[in-house]
């Protein structure tokens, strides 16, 4: 049981480049989330997917898009990266539709120069 | 004003000490109160969660919620070097609104 996996672990982008962060969970969870974590600011929700086939904006969705590919996979896309998107990105999942008992992946460290 | 406030620390204690970690929040709609532990360069992991006011104990850890004063606490008894991590409080509504505190860094010295 791998839990929540994320790829890549590290990435450096130039301003304006695009990339997709991948996330997969093997716990048969219904809900999945993307967060970013910045120093002194805590985790902030970018997008979430309550169940397969649905996605909704979180607190900081600007500059990002998501795809819930199937029940297991939830990807985050940066169409035109900006230095303000330099952060650590975490994917999480939960069994129930709600945000308690979330299970987090190991994170992707993204630097935009 | 942030919805959730946490002292960033760092908090440094000797092994065996009792540790008290605290949060305040402003949204009275929060009903669920979570504590996550995050080791350096790892993802957060759920430590405990409580519903509404009261105490919950799990081994060396006790979570306490006082909704009247909007105050959340996590106590760690007999602290160990392996408890050295950042602790995030995370109150939520039970829907899709959970707000994470910025975390308190704890160091337990052997």
């Amino acid at each position: 049981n791998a839990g929540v996996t994320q790829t890549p672990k590290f990435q450096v982008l130039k301003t304006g480049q695009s990339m997709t962060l991948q996330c997969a969970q093997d716990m048969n969870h219904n809900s999945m989330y993307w967060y970013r974590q910045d120093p002194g600011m805590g985790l902030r929700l970018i997008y979430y997917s309550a169940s397969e086939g649905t996605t909704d904006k979180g607190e900081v969705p600007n500059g990002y898009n998501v795809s819930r590919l199937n029940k297991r996979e939830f990807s985050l896309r940066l169409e035109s990266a900006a230095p303000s998107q330099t952060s650590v990105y975490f994917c999480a999942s939960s069994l129930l539709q709600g945000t308690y008992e979330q299970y987090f992946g190991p994170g992707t460290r993204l630097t935009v120069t | 004003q942030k919805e959730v406030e946490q002292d960033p620390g760092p908090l440094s204690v000797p092994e065996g000490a009792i540790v008290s970690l605290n949060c305040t929040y402003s949204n009275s709609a929060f009903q669920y109160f979570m504590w996550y532990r995050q080791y350096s360069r790892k993802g957060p992991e759920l430590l405990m969660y409580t519903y509404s006011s009261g105490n919950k104990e799990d081994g060396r850890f006790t979570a306490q919620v006082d909704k009247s004063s909007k105050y959340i606490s996590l106590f760690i008894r007999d602290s160990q070097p392996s408890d050295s991590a950042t602790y995030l409080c995370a109150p939520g509504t039970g829907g899709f609104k959970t707000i994470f505190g910025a975390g308190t860094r704890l160091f337990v010295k052997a």
Side-chain angles (χ1 to χ4, degrees):
Chain A
N1 227 2
V4 179
T5 56
Q6 292 182 237
T7 55
K9 287 186 168 48
F10 302 94
Q11 185 71 49
V12 179
L13 290 178
K14 294 189 188 311
T15 298
Q17 288 184 318
S18 62
M19 78 162 296
T20 300
L21 282 64
Q22 306 286 355
C23 174
Q25 52 91 9
D26 63 1
M27 296 174 283
N28 202 34
H29 284 175
N30 292 303
S31 301
M32 298 185 74
Y33 316 82
W34 276 105
Y35 291 91
R36 59 178 289 173
Q37 187 175 38
D38 301 293
M41 301 202 62
L43 288 157
R44 291 182 292 168
L45 184 64
I46 304 171
Y47 271 93
Y48 66 93
S49 171
S51 60
E52 187 179 355
T54 69
T55 60
D56 281 289
K57 295 178 181 179
E59 182 186 354
V60 288
N62 292 345
Y64 306 95
N65 284 301
V66 290
S67 295
R68 183 75 183 266
L69 303 168
N70 47 55
K71 191 171 185 179
R72 290 187 63 247
E73 299 172 287
F74 189 38
S75 63
L76 178 72
R77 183 159 178 84
L78 286 70
E79 290 291 352
S80 179
S84 60
Q85 294 178 304
T86 293
S87 188
V88 182
Y89 291 85
F90 288 102
C91 177
S93 69
S94 64
L95 177 62
L96 301 174
Q97 290 191 17
T99 52
Y100 44 90
E101 294 199 87
Q102 291 183 60
Y103 295 81
F104 284 81
T108 294
R109 294 183 174 273
L110 175 66
T111 301
V112 183
T113 60
Chain B
Q1 183 193 5
K2 289 182 182 178
E3 281 194 273
V4 178
E5 300 270 8
Q6 248 188 297
D7 185 334
L11 179 62
S12 184
V13 301
E15 183 175 358
I18 296 174
V19 176
S20 172
L21 303 167
N22 307 296
C23 273
T24 58
Y25 64 94
S26 58
N27 190 340
S28 57
F30 291 143
Q31 295 285 340
Y32 294 87
F33 302 91
M34 281 71 72
W35 282 97
Y36 284 83
R37 177 175 61 195
Q38 185 175 21
Y39 291 112
S40 181
R41 296 185 172 266
K42 302 287 187 186
E45 56 179 337
L46 182 67
L47 196 56
M48 295 183 70
Y49 81 88
T50 56
Y51 174 72
S52 196
S53 283
N55 292 0
K56 184 174 182 179
E57 189 173 320
D58 184 0
R60 297 184 294 110
F61 298 88
T62 299
Q64 195 171 78
V65 176
D66 182 348
K67 289 188 70 181
S68 62
S69 58
K70 298 187 178 68
Y71 198 80
I72 315 166
S73 299
L74 178 71
F75 299 96
I76 307 174
R77 290 184 301 280
D78 187 25
S79 56
Q80 303 294 311
S82 59
D83 295 327
S84 298
T86 297
Y87 290 81
L88 314 173
C89 68
T93 60
F96 286 94
K97 185 176 174 69
T98 291
I99 304 297
F100 285 82
T104 299
R105 292 175 65 197
L106 171 67
F107 294 99
V108 181
K109 299 170 292 186

